[in-house]
Amino acid sequence: MKKVILKLDELSCPSCMVKINKAVAEIPGVTNSKVLFNASKVKLDLNEQQNSAQTVAKVVEDLGYQVLEIKEKELI
Amino acid sequence: MRFITKYKNIFALINGLLLILAGIFKLINLNIGTEWALIIAGIVGVVPIGMQAISALKIKVISIDVLVTIAVIGAILINEPVEAAVVTFLFLFGNYLEQKTLAKTRSAIKELAKITPKTALKIVDQQPQIVEIDEVEIGDQIQVNAGMQAPVDGEILYGDGYFNESAVTGESKFMNKSIGDSVFAGTSLENGSVIVKTGRVGEDTVFGKIVELVEDAQDDKSTQEQFIDHFSKYYTPIILLLAIVVGLITRNLQLAITILVLGCPGALVIGVPVSNVAGIGRGAKQGVLIKGGQVMSTFKKVDTMIFDKTGTLTVGRPAVTTVVNFNGEQKVALEMVAAVEQKVSHPLADAIVKFVAPTTDFMVNELMVIKGRGVAANVNKVKVLIGNQAMMREQQINVSEVMEKQLDNLSQNNQTVVIVAIDGVVRLIIGIKDVIRPEVAESLIKLRKLGIKRMVMLTGDTQISGEIIAKEARIDEIHGNLLPADKAEFIKQLQANGHKVAFVGDGINDSPSLKIAEIGIAMGNGTDVAIETSDVVLLKSDFGKLVESYRLSQRTVRNMYENIGIALGTVLLLFIGLWLGFIYMASGMLIHEISILIVVVNAMRLLSVSKNLTDINYLSTKIKYNK
């Protein structure tokens, strides 16, 4: 399991947040996902056997939001 | 898709230029030109909005974009190009302004996150090399030079210098650090140069945790926000349904699409989170960490405050409060004592050294610490004894009746007494006490004014020593001889009687109470434990910050309600306007966008530091609003 933090370009509408949240939560392997509206970040736990952080970032980008930075951290 | 959202502002610009062009055509009476410019403007404007609407519908969300898109397409179909063009322009331009103003409310936290350096001087083959902070790993050796900030948490391997730790403590005080001492990321080295062995990096550092906490706090939903979220989940579909029903009954497409635009919940969804982010940002800027909107709304309801004594109401370090001089010159005697105490590590010795500011004029020899008694030494070849009554008795020093009386007086006043004998004669009696924080009494008066009804001090110390502090702080209720578990039990009792309780402690040994109380407030302590267990962290050991945090939560919650009022009021007024017949699609959109800007600007008021929130005169003019 990995903890993944995506830093997005500034989010300005709360409905974007709902969109991203739903889309990310549906990706297989993603648990505990959370979109931080004000910090413009997505935080989630990822089972990397099912999907990679890049896949998650791609889903977010396909919704129309730019991913500026991907951070991954091993969960112990 | 990304292309379109990325260039949304360009779409808005083209849309706006086409509107101007339409105006010019109109002036020169080129009607066909006007019409086509407006139609193209409408289409250019609706593309980015429509794209977002589609992506929302894909995940079964009926967003504002969906309402606006339908309305604009409808307007073009019924040949109302002016409405279509103006509505899209206002919506896009409004979005742009919203983005800009939102960035402003978020700026306080951004500044905080920006403090840590992005690069580090890593020692590779004994040479410092600039590397990205992400490449630094635990155990790496990092060089920090004067004027730089420590990029990581760690331990000093070589060198020494003065650190300004305001980033983690909120206190701009210089700390001298040398080999073996801990260094925190975000603190800056004022002079000297050190090499640090990396212990923690990035989000794991103390400072990283503070930033993370503030970021999470901004997005933690208050009760008000949860209500609004719930509300808007049904609100937008209902507006859509209403428009369809009205359209079917009246067969008036124009009325139906006008309803879609007027019903947009713009200010409603942004109003509450924007107050929250501004309030938390304001706090963070001033060393008050409030863990989210939920905490804000609960804190505002608190009516009872419980205080720990040592380290919270008091400074937590003993200080010299009385010096009684008997024979000879006091200043020289004190300096001799300080010269000895400087070499001893003991809280009482530290208190004396701090009080006297030692000089280097004295030679101290044959220093001997006598456990449970005091210390003896030769200062400039004169025998100096510093200790308690037992020590004087054993050393056969004569303590007169007058002196005995002084000693009794001081002990009754809860002071620890130190007797100084120089060359066999008692010269000084020094009273040392843990003193109350200077701003406590005033702060408690302010808190009472702001609405705290009951204040209680709980202490592990004796009842009597508690009462002495309580009297100075003007707290009327005090309970002594309590273990941490007893304190927690006491809070439970209060809660059972319907009180909303905040517990103020130093965050180290009172974690049960901090957790149980509705609001746990840790004071003057940017440590991991304090950050994790409490709801409010006051980074600075300043009692005034407590008043500020309470006042801030009151103001923020009020701001949220104001914004909800503005948003709902706008929708209500718009529908009345529609019914009376002077509001249409474009004017409706204009008023909506204005209301969004009003709520954002209203939230920004929380950020303005010009007003001193805790000024007593200012407070008394404001109090009536909170009753």
Side-chain angles (χ1 to χ4, degrees):
Chain A
M1 287 296 272
K2 260 182 186 169
K3 187 172 178 63
V4 178
I5 301 173
L6 305 179
K7 174 103 189 72
L8 309 182
D9 200 13
E10 194 103 354
L11 292 177
S12 61
C13 58
S15 66
C16 321
M17 189 174 118
V18 183
K19 267 193 255 175
I20 299 171
N21 215 357
K22 277 203 179 178
V24 169
E26 278 169 11
I27 302 171
V30 170
T31 42
N32 286 331
S33 66
K34 195 169 147 196
V35 180
L36 302 182
F37 173 57
N38 287 301
S40 305
K41 280 182 182 171
V42 185
K43 290 187 181 177
L44 52 109
D45 295 345
L46 183 69
N47 182 344
E48 66 264 57
Q49 265 140 29
Q50 284 175 275
N51 260 312
S52 72
Q54 277 67 29
T55 320
V56 180
K58 177 134 194 339
V59 170
V60 176
E61 295 221 316
D62 285 346
L63 281 175
Y65 304 98
Q66 213 182 344
V67 178
L68 301 178
E69 200 185 320
I70 306 173
K71 266 194 184 171
E72 296 172 63
K73 211 161 62 183
E74 286 297 333
L75 282 179
I76 327 125
Chain B
M1 190 73 150
R2 247 180 75 201
F3 172 81
I4 289 166
T5 40
K6 203 170 166 187
Y7 296 103
K8 201 165 146 189
N9 294 341
I10 306 233
F11 276 85
L13 186 68
I14 296 172
N15 171 278
L17 289 175
L18 283 166
L19 266 178
I20 296 171
L21 193 65
I24 296 171
F25 284 145
K26 180 98 189 162
L27 281 179
I28 55 169
N29 274 327
L30 191 67
N31 282 341
I32 185 84
T34 313
E35 191 155 328
W36 278 106
L38 286 172
I39 289 173
I40 297 169
I43 291 168
V44 169
V46 84
V47 169
I49 309 172
M51 284 298 181
Q52 285 188 329
I54 292 167
S55 75
L57 283 175
K58 267 192 204 155
I59 48 158
K60 300 182 196 77
V61 174
I62 297 179
S63 65
I64 306 176
D65 315 292
V66 177
L67 300 186
V68 175
T69 306
I70 298 174
V72 171
I73 292 172
I76 294 175
L77 288 181
I78 59 168
N79 204 15
E80 290 273 9
V82 183
E83 302 284 311
V86 175
V87 164
T88 51
F89 173 74
L90 287 173
F91 190 72
L92 289 172
F93 185 61
N95 264 345
Y96 171 76
L97 286 182
E98 200 178 320
Q99 217 174 330
K100 291 287 161 216
T101 47
L102 258 181
K104 186 97 190 157
T105 61
R106 290 168 176 165
S107 61
I109 289 126
K110 279 251 174 63
E111 277 163 31
L112 190 71
K114 241 180 358 206
I115 293 179
T116 36
K118 299 275 174 282
T119 57
L121 283 178
K122 183 172 155 180
I123 306 286
V124 184
D125 301 328
Q126 295 176 353
Q127 287 298 319
Q129 266 181 23
I130 298 177
V131 296
E132 291 292 316
I133 188 69
D134 290 339
E135 287 166 32
V136 177
E137 279 171 26
I138 292 167
D140 282 352
Q141 296 186 11
I142 303 294
Q143 183 169 336
V144 184
N145 297 332
M148 282 169 62
Q149 279 168 318
V152 296
D153 280 7
E155 193 181 287
I156 297 181
L157 286 180
Y158 311 101
D160 65 345
Y162 280 87
F163 279 87
N164 180 347
E165 298 201 312
S166 64
V168 289
T169 64
E171 239 164 330
S172 189
K173 210 166 66 184
F174 296 138
M175 296 279 291
N176 186 17
K177 298 205 167 183
S178 55
I179 296 169
D181 287 340
S182 304
V183 167
F184 299 104
T187 61
S188 54
L189 185 60
E190 299 298 325
N191 65 36
S193 172
V194 297
I195 289 176
V196 177
K197 188 179 166 205
T198 306
R200 286 182 291 201
V201 287
E203 279 92 16
D204 295 329
T205 62
V206 169
F207 186 71
K209 282 194 178 141
I210 292 176
V211 172
E212 202 179 354
L213 174 122
V214 175
E215 280 184 355
D216 283 343
Q218 299 177 83
D219 284 295
D220 171 69
K221 300 200 171 189
S222 60
T223 332
Q224 290 82 358
E225 193 172 348
Q226 282 165 8
F227 165 75
I228 293 294
D229 275 3
H230 201 69
F231 182 77
S232 50
K233 205 157 81 191
Y234 298 102
Y235 180 81
T236 18
I238 286 172
I239 292 291
L240 186 57
L241 206 65
L242 181 74
I244 293 171
V245 171
V246 169
L248 285 177
I249 293 173
T250 62
R251 300 272 156 194
N252 182 346
L253 193 54
Q254 197 196 0
L255 180 64
I257 58 176
T258 308
I259 289 175
L260 283 182
V261 170
L262 300 194
C264 282
L268 200 58
V269 282
I270 200 85
V272 174
V274 87
S275 300
N276 196 27
V277 69
I280 285 165
R282 159 75 189 244
K285 223 166 156 180
Q286 298 186 301
V288 176
L289 305 186
I290 299 177
K291 280 196 192 170
Q294 191 61 54
V295 172
M296 290 261 190
S297 26
T298 315
F299 195 9
K300 187 199 163 264
K301 290 188 200 127
V302 162
D303 58 4
T304 306
M305 266 196 192
I306 312 282
F307 299 92
D308 168 47
K309 182 178 78 83
T310 312
T312 307
L313 290 170
T314 68
V315 178
R317 289 181 303 265
V320 173
T321 52
T322 322
V323 178
V324 187
N325 185 37
F326 288 98
N327 300 297
E329 202 186 326
Q330 174 172 325
K331 186 168 175 284
V332 179
L334 273 176
E335 279 171 3
M336 290 172 86
V337 173
V340 178
E341 296 286 37
Q342 214 179 354
K343 302 191 182 296
V344 181
S345 136
H346 189 275
L348 294 179
D350 293 343
I352 292 173
V353 172
K354 212 170 163 212
F355 180 73
V356 182
T359 56
T360 45
D361 303 348
F362 299 98
M363 285 276 297
V364 179
N365 294 315
E366 292 173 42
L367 185 113
M368 197 167 63
V369 176
I370 308 159
K371 223 173 166 202
R373 295 289 181 268
V375 56
N378 278 344
V379 180
N380 285 0
K381 292 178 187 157
V382 181
K383 180 99 175 154
V384 175
L385 299 173
I386 308 165
N388 54 16
Q389 279 163 285
M391 184 187 199
M392 298 303 140
R393 234 184 345 262
E394 281 163 17
Q395 302 282 336
Q396 289 163 356
I397 305 289
N398 178 35
V399 178
S400 72
E401 241 173 71
V402 187
M403 293 170 190
E404 292 274 11
K405 217 174 160 193
Q406 276 289 354
L407 291 173
D408 283 349
N409 266 341
L410 289 174
S411 332
Q412 260 170 31
N413 200 10
N414 206 31
Q415 309 220 8
T416 307
V417 188
V418 175
I419 306 169
V420 178
I422 299 176
D423 209 8
V425 180
V426 174
R427 292 278 299 273
L428 302 170
I429 292 178
I430 302 173
I432 294 172
K433 190 165 113 172
D434 187 7
V435 290
I436 187 166
R437 289 182 192 276
E439 64 290 342
V440 166
E442 197 195 342
S443 299
L444 296 192
I445 293 173
K446 287 179 182 171
L447 284 171
R448 277 208 178 89
K449 280 204 166 190
L450 285 171
I452 302 289
K453 297 202 176 60
R454 189 169 165 192
M455 295 186 186
V456 186
M457 180 208 286
L458 300 182
T459 176
D461 220 337
T462 59
Q463 182 81 14
I464 296 174
S465 59
E467 272 166 12
I468 290 164
I469 295 291
K471 206 173 154 199
E472 283 182 62
R474 296 191 213 150
I475 294 180
D476 358 88
E477 195 177 342
I478 121 111
H479 301 273
N481 300 314
L482 298 178
L483 298 171
D486 300 331
K487 294 185 187 175
E489 190 53 41
F490 184 85
I491 293 170
K492 275 190 199 157
Q493 284 288 324
L494 283 173
Q495 288 170 326
N497 291 331
H499 290 286
K500 294 260 179 245
V501 181
F503 180 86
V504 191
D506 59 8
I508 298 162
N509 43 30
D510 282 319
S511 19
S513 301
L514 285 173
K515 271 195 204 131
I516 281 172
E518 267 89 4
I519 297 292
I521 304 172
M523 245 185 90
N525 215 305
T527 61
D528 297 12
V529 198
I531 291 175
E532 268 154 37
T533 50
S534 50
D535 304 299
V536 177
V537 184
L538 309 178
L539 290 179
K540 219 183 214 171
S541 326
D542 176 356
F543 228 76
K545 294 283 171 198
L546 179 63
V547 187
E548 207 164 295
S549 62
Y550 186 56
R551 178 89 191 106
L552 183 62
S553 71
Q554 289 181 331
R555 271 191 50 160
T556 307
V557 173
R558 206 180 83 205
N559 202 277
M560 283 178 196
Y561 281 122
E562 285 165 2
N563 281 354
I564 294 175
I566 293 170
L568 290 178
T570 307
V571 174
L572 192 69
L573 283 177
L574 284 176
F575 276 98
I576 293 174
L578 175 68
W579 184 60
L580 293 175
F582 49 76
I583 289 285
Y584 297 105
M585 226 171 122
S587 50
M589 184 53 93
L590 177 68
I591 292 175
H592 255 309
E593 292 304 332
I594 292 174
S595 76
I596 290 177
L597 292 181
I598 291 176
V599 296
V600 177
V601 170
N602 186 41
M604 258 190 239
R605 290 192 308 137
L606 290 172
L607 284 174
S608 74
V609 201
S610 58
K611 236 178 264 165
N612 184 358
L613 286 188
T614 55
D615 178 76
I616 199 101
N617 296 319
Y618 174 66
L619 278 183
S620 37
T621 63
K622 287 285 171 182
I623 295 306
K624 46 183 181 285
Y625 294 110
N626 293 304
K627 288 279 159 67

